[in-house]
Amino acid sequence: MVNLFKRMRKLKSIVNIRIGTGAAILPTPTSATPDYPAITRLHLTYARKIYNGHQGARHFWRNCLPRLKYHNPGVPMSVKQTDDQEGPAALTIYFAERASKPASITAAVAELTDKHAPAPGDAEKTAIVDLRNLDYREIWNKVMNVTGAKEVPASAEEEAEVKRFEQMREQSGRDRVRIAAIRQAKKDQERMLQIARGEVEKLREL
């Protein structure tokens, strides 16, 4: 049974990286459009601690970036964690030749720089998305808007797997409560027996 649960947890982690927030296909040289050029790479910078607006960027790194990398294995993605809570929480997006129109507008409004982001190549243009004080879902919406990423919907089989894992989690919780109640009842019974034995010993001493 233990091995079964270990296997199910492993399967759940595989499913979780395939679907959910961040599961999307970035534009490639073959799928790029005039509005959304190909994405050549990404760089994320944020502070190690969550205060001063870095919480969303950290959650984006934990929840979204693994899925994005899974679906775009050929796109390099680098991360820089800093100790500077006053520093930027930023995602630098590298485009082939030119930035998308939403990216150009975002960059013009933000006027943000990130010294930790690698310099773009001769054939690259960059746009920096300000992530400070944003929830990771808000960050993901901005990333989709800027890059033109297409979300990968969960298949019927994957949705069924997620539902099954949730049912297992709920059943596991009920089992823990039931086992805890059995153990507590056993302890209570042993305690009552000890008290009863003590009373018997007292009567014998009279």
Side-chain angles (χ1 to χ4, degrees):
M1 182 62 72
V2 174
N3 289 335
L4 174 61
F5 280 114
K6 285 183 177 179
R7 182 170 177 270
M8 293 303 290
R9 281 196 295 269
K10 185 175 181 179
L11 288 173
K12 182 180 179 181
S13 66
I14 294 173
V15 172
N16 281 343
I17 204 171
R18 291 203 309 256
I19 62 176
T21 306
I25 305 295
L26 295 168
T28 65
T30 56
S31 66
T33 67
D35 292 331
Y36 291 102
I39 304 300
T40 58
R41 49 182 165 149
L42 301 173
H43 175 81
L44 174 65
T45 295
Y46 67 94
R48 297 179 188 277
K49 297 181 180 179
I50 63 175
Y51 59 86
N52 282 10
H54 288 266
Q55 181 174 2
R58 182 179 179 86
H59 288 173
F60 177 81
W61 163 71
R62 186 180 298 276
N63 295 310
C64 301
L65 211 58
R67 295 186 182 120
L68 197 58
K69 182 62 178 178
Y70 176 85
H71 289 285
N72 302 272
V75 178
M77 300 180 188
S78 56
V79 178
K80 176 63 177 180
Q81 294 179 331
T82 74
D83 295 317
D84 183 9
Q85 296 300 139
E86 302 301 326
L91 180 69
T92 302
I93 301 170
Y94 297 75
F95 297 87
E97 297 183 354
R98 58 185 176 79
S100 68
K101 183 177 292 186
S104 300
I105 295 173
T106 298
V109 172
E111 295 183 352
L112 185 67
T113 60
D114 181 8
K115 65 180 181 180
H116 302 290
D122 293 337
E124 289 180 317
K125 296 295 182 182
T126 62
I128 303 177
V129 180
D130 188 1
L131 313 183
R132 189 183 290 273
N133 295 317
L134 295 178
D135 176 83
Y136 79 90
R137 295 179 183 85
E138 295 175 311
I139 293 172
W140 175 238
N141 288 335
K142 292 186 73 170
V143 171
M144 284 196 298
N145 179 59
V146 168
T147 63
K150 301 297 183 183
E151 288 190 297
V152 178
S155 66
E157 180 181 356
E158 288 169 336
E159 289 179 347
E161 287 178 343
V162 171
K163 185 176 181 180
R164 184 168 71 252
F165 292 142
E166 180 62 23
Q167 290 172 342
M168 288 182 61
R169 186 188 66 80
E170 293 175 354
Q171 182 61 48
S172 178
R174 289 192 291 268
D175 289 343
R176 283 195 297 270
V177 172
R178 178 176 57 82
I179 292 171
I182 292 172
R183 289 176 176 172
Q184 186 61 48
K186 184 177 180 180
K187 289 180 181 179
D188 292 343
Q189 185 178 23
E190 290 174 350
R191 181 172 55 83
M192 292 175 65
L193 286 173
Q194 289 176 352
I195 293 173
R197 292 191 188 103
E199 293 297 329
V200 170
E201 291 298 326
K202 289 180 181 179
L203 290 174
R204 288 176 178 174
E205 293 173 358
L206 293 178

